[in-house]
Amino acid sequence: MVVAEQHRWVMDTSTYTHLCRAGHSDIIRSLAPAGVVLIPTDVSTEIETGRDRYSDIPSVSSIDWAEVAVLTEEEVWTQLEVKAQMGGQSVEHLGECAVIACAYHRKLIAILDDRAALAQAERLHVCTYDTMWIVIEAFKHLYGRDKNRTAQVVDDLLTTGMYLPVDSGESIMSWAYEEGLLP
Amino acid sequence: MDPRAGRTATTCFVVSSTEYQSTPCPRCAKVAHVDKRALGDRIAQAREAAGMTQGGLGEAVGLDRTAITRLEKGERKLSAHELVAVAEALGRPMSYFVSAPVPAVVSRRSDTSHAHETTRALDVELQGFASDIQILMEMRLLTGHERAGDVKTPRDHTVAEQVAQEVRQKLSLGDAPVRDLGAVCERLGLHTFSASLGAAGPDGGCVEVGDATACLGAAVINGDTPAGRRRMTLTHELGHWLFGDAYDVQASSDSERMINSFAIHFLAPRAGIRTVWDQYGELPVRDQALAIGASFRLSWSAVIAQLKNVGFINDGEYRDLNEYEPRSGDYLRLGISWDEELKSPYVSPGFAAACLNGYVSGRLTGHRVIELLRGTLAAGDLPHQDPPSRDSLRTAFAGHGGG
């Protein structure tokens, strides 16, 4: 299957690690255009750090639905420019900045959760999705609009410690239904 | 058909361009970078300012001296990790090294009377402040103004006074003293940073950020000079900003004098001076002048010059008053005082509010906001950040065909 390059995903640590730890990495494999997401080297490094604490996170090299992206010199400049706006100590935010830079130059879609990173992506007119968007995409295209199954994914994400402004998967699905947000 | 093909991303925006980038990027010419040579220059300048040798910097960041030499010459590629380390070692925010060059400085006061090093310090601060304003505009945390093209630099003192009155009227200031000059300038689109540039350093400068349809002014003034001089400098920069004289082909060397004339009439209008002069009418002329200075927060030289301009004192009285610069006790003796407005570090309130609102909404990190606020707020004084709300999840449902 040929997928337009601009639909490909370049993913940050948060989505990768939380979906993996929640046991739902298959969602990424199934939904990512061409079945593969790009992982910048700085994100890969952060994932490896996460693996020190959580053994259920696979390394990027061990899976077939992700590949490492090495930033070009131009992309590194943009990464630095975004890092300057994100602030933070040492290597903090370098992964998110790499995702934004990679998506910006290669015209890809950045998968990000951090609000400050999303604001920087917006500033650079980079298209973004977040983890919850992917879950709702799964609801629509993978789960046959099964709310319970989708709610379970959200609950599993909450169990990993992922911050979401909801108490449970059921509550978000009910809220979205009441608000007319569900397809 | 694959259901993912052709779907709409949730956060796509109209591409716009900026005028002044050194290296346009292929996608939308939005990100402007310094090049390796400019980055090398900035590293060298920051290293010298920090009093470090190339070897010392290399030791601090884990590189050898020759690597630093090549870096400063723009001959060596720098990784993100290395630049973070360099910034930390030199005590500068990363934005100092990587922010795009700002356009030509609209004005730089006293630039001919100071050493290169001091004007360079002003330029560095102008570069940084203007760049930050540009970013805050791009993030829609600050809103640009449309440039009014009908106000030109006055050609004589009468017109300068008239323009000052018109600007006051526009701001509904009447003839009263301007109490919060930084806030007043922001109402006209000029943001202010008062930097520590040394008591003998340059007075200030001004840069325009944006384009004709949405622009803001960035003024940096020397916060180490006396209070009255700081206010005069900022008002002078306001004049440059309002008149846009960088684009006025008829502006002449007289422009600086005319902008000073605008500034003094803006700060101390004739009618306002009359009110205070009469209020202290029973006092000797010198004490009346002191009262004028305290009320309108002017330097002594500005007070007596303006009193002479508007005909309240004659040449002889001017010479007498000019003999002795008053001390703070002279004002206190009369029971009058003024605050230390615009003292370094200071950022104007609208700029500070934009930064803090960006933090509260999660769009700016705490670390970055502290940098943006330039020493005016400690990390412990940051307001509470709003947690993401359930409404923030709406974007997750966008593009899926729901309501």
Side-chain angles (χ1 to χ4, degrees), chain A residues 73-94:
Chain A
E73 187 171 352
E74 187 72 12
E75 288 166 352
V76 169
W77 279 113
T78 300
Q79 180 193 22
L80 291 171
E81 193 270 342
V82 176
K83 164 69 177 162
Q85 299 310 319
M86 292 287 286
Q89 299 297 319
S90 190
V91 297
E92 194 178 354
H93 303 303
L94 274 182

Side-chain angles (χ1 to χ4, degrees), chain A residues 36-102:
Chain A
V36 176
V37 296
L38 289 182
I39 304 290
T41 47
D42 284 309
V43 173
S44 181
T45 302
E46 291 175 6
I47 288 169
E48 287 303 313
T49 303
R51 278 165 45 77
D52 292 343
R53 292 180 64 192
Y54 304 105
S55 59
D56 46 355
I57 302 173
S59 68
V60 177
S61 61
S62 70
I63 52 178
D64 62 1
W65 50 266
E67 60 186 51
V68 170
V70 178
L71 298 193
T72 65
E73 187 171 352
E74 187 72 12
E75 288 166 352
V76 169
W77 279 113
T78 300
Q79 180 193 22
L80 291 171
E81 193 270 342
V82 176
K83 164 69 177 162
Q85 299 310 319
M86 292 287 286
Q89 299 297 319
S90 190
V91 297
E92 194 178 354
H93 303 303
L94 274 182
E96 291 145 340
C97 299
V99 167
I100 294 167
C102 187

